[in-house]
Amino acid sequence: MGIVVTCLASAAMASPAAAASTVPVAPVDVPLHGLGTVLPTETPTLRTGVPIPLPGAPMGLTGHGEGKVQPLLVPQLPFTAGIPETLVSAPLPDVAGEEPMGRALLATPASELRATTPGAILGLPITLPRAETFGMPGAELPQAGLLTPGMTGALDSTLGLDGPKD
């Protein structure tokens, strides 16, 4: 029974990690056929995607200090989105001879992007009731602060040539 419970627990821990690594992206092929009237060669191709942001749970909802009233908060919201795989391919014109030169390729692999929205915190101008003031709250200067937004991700690209088209 212990082995079964251990297997189920490890499978449950592995499932969110696998789900987090695949961020949804809607694939898009950008039509560039209208350039065929202006370009003397075949038209370039552009394949990319539209990221679909996934919001997370608000962060920082429990910010309070000892002996102080709970401050007013505008929480930060985390978002996860995918940077889609992008491929740009354009024909290289033949300027010197009769053989085609091939295609120029620019490719970026898919990666994950994490961001958080800005937030704010505003302390109230009163303190908790104290014994020395006979149970009355005291007054203090309110404190205010901004929580900075953040963004992490990685973008890598490659530029190269594809062989001549037969």
Side-chain angles (χ1 to χ4, degrees):
M1 186 65 156
I3 294 172
V4 171
V5 171
T6 304
C7 290
L8 290 176
S10 63
M13 292 301 287
S15 296
S21 66
T22 58
V23 179
V25 172
V28 174
D29 284 340
V30 180
L32 298 176
H33 301 296
L35 296 176
T37 58
V38 202
L39 296 175
T41 62
E42 120 183 41
T43 60
T45 59
L46 173 60
R47 290 188 182 105
T48 188
V50 177
I52 301 172
L54 298 173
M59 302 179 342
L61 291 176
T62 58
H64 61 83
E66 186 175 321
K68 295 188 177 189
V69 179
Q70 174 78 21
L72 300 174
L73 295 170
V74 176
Q76 288 183 300
L77 296 175
F79 283 93
T80 304
I83 298 174
E85 180 181 21
T86 303
L87 176 67
V88 179
S89 173
L92 291 175
D94 182 21
V95 292
E98 303 237 348
E99 292 185 28
M101 296 291 294
R103 297 183 69 83
L105 300 172
L106 173 66
T108 60
S111 65
E112 188 172 297
L113 177 71
R114 295 181 182 273
T116 55
T117 62
I121 185 168
L122 176 64
L124 297 177
I126 59 173
T127 62
L128 292 174
R130 297 185 186 149
E132 60 267 5
T133 58
F134 303 109
M136 298 296 293
E140 67 179 2
L141 289 173
Q143 296 178 350
L146 294 175
L147 305 172
T148 60
M151 183 177 295
T152 58
L155 182 61
D156 187 22
S157 61
T158 58
L159 179 63
L161 294 174
D162 193 12
K165 193 172 184 181
D166 294 328

